[in-house]
Amino acid sequence: MSTARLTINLYTLASNWQALDAKTSCETGAVVKADAYGLGAGPVSAALAEEGVRNFFVAAAEEGAAVREAVGPDATISVFSGHMEGDSDLLRQHNLTPLLNSSEQFRRHRQALPEHAFGIQLDTGMNRLGIEPADWAALRTEIEPLNPSLVMSHLACADEPDNPMNRHQLRVFRELTDGSAAPRSLAATGGILLGSDYHFDLCRPGIGMYGGQPFAHAKPVVTVDLPVIQVREVEPGESVGYGNSWVARRKSRIATVAAGYADGLHRAIGGGIDAFVADRPCPIVGRISMDLITIDVTDLPEDPERLRILNGHQTVDDLAEAAGTIGYEILTSLGARYSRGYIE
Ligand SMILES: *Cc1c(COP(=O)(O)O)cnc(C)c1O
């Protein structure tokens, strides 16, 4: 093994999806945008389709092709960015359902693909994507007879259960959609955990399936193993790595492993993060470089061949906290250099 290895456990991913699905009495879809949060849209979508998922969501039409190939012709694949200029061929070829975000997108869609399914995304206060309430009021009578596949909106603060924004957006969503015959969707992972008021007809979790917060009961899905390139002895007073930021206080053994911030192990990851040999933690010392990380293995009985940085003890959220970011960003920055393996 000469490159770091990323192992994705499709079995725990499926069980996380099942656990989220069990919290709702509505249908549960799956968000597989950004290459399934960096874990591989093809294998992840195929595993979820096998688990019974019928509704997939991607960010852009380009992402839909790989998902379609993985899930077959029957599942619905919806596109959050809607129907953008130049998307018509992709939408038609891969039978993707755009979630239209503006009256302009609605006109474009009706003109380019008049027979093609579409959904509607409404803005309920996040001010990021979606048709504004005033525009919806003007368009609703024209759109509803065309049977949109879904009417959806997105919560801005669902990871904070007590934030009043949740209730506010729920109220606005109801005002905009009560009486509509179309299936409705408001909740991602956070919204599922807020309770059944937020579930409507379809939930769309992402991060919880991939093992991240705010789903506290998520099982870890990824492990990352780092191959040791060399192990050296360092005398007390000698420093390790760029900037001499770590100085040995005792005679130490330092393992240099082949991975770094170019592999999404952010340079900002500070103290308190370990690399493991089985259950045994070894502290990361010195700065994380682009391709190399140094680890204090002095207390191990023998020099290791590899160390594991993501495992059941230390999760994407632990790395995120140490780097001052969120688990979503750790997952999506893991990058292309890993050799990847899937546990089915
Ligand atoms: C990313 C996204 C989701 C999934 O969110 P998670 O927090 O990962 O569950 C759902 N809906 C929309 C519109 C999104 O952009």
Side-chain angles (χ1 to χ4, degrees), residues 31 33 37 80 121 128 152 154 188-189 204-207 328:
V31 177
K33 65 191 179 191
Y37 291 40
F80 289 135
Q121 187 159 186
R128 190 182 68 164
M152 61 149 291
H154 193 48
T189 302
R204 340 172 284 271
I207 192 72
Y328 300 74

Side-chain angles (χ1 to χ4, degrees), residues 303-325:
D303 292 345
E305 277 173 28
R306 62 184 67 88
L307 291 117
R308 183 165 277 191
I309 188 164
L310 275 174
N311 64 6
H313 305 289
Q314 187 170 268
T315 66
V316 288
D317 289 294
D318 295 321
L319 287 198
E321 198 184 326
T325 183

Side-chain angles (χ1 to χ4, degrees), residues 57 78-80 99-101 119-124 128-131 149-155 173 176-177 182-187 202 204:
F57 294 85
S78 301
V79 182
F80 289 135
L99 298 166
L100 306 175
N101 285 300
I120 293 291
Q121 187 159 186
L122 299 173
D123 179 41
T124 53
R128 190 182 68 164
L129 273 183
I131 297 175
S149 64
L150 191 68
V151 177
M152 61 149 291
S153 187
H154 193 48
L155 297 168
F173 189 61
L176 296 177
T177 61
R184 295 189 283 182
S185 177
L186 182 61
L202 172 67
R204 340 172 284 271

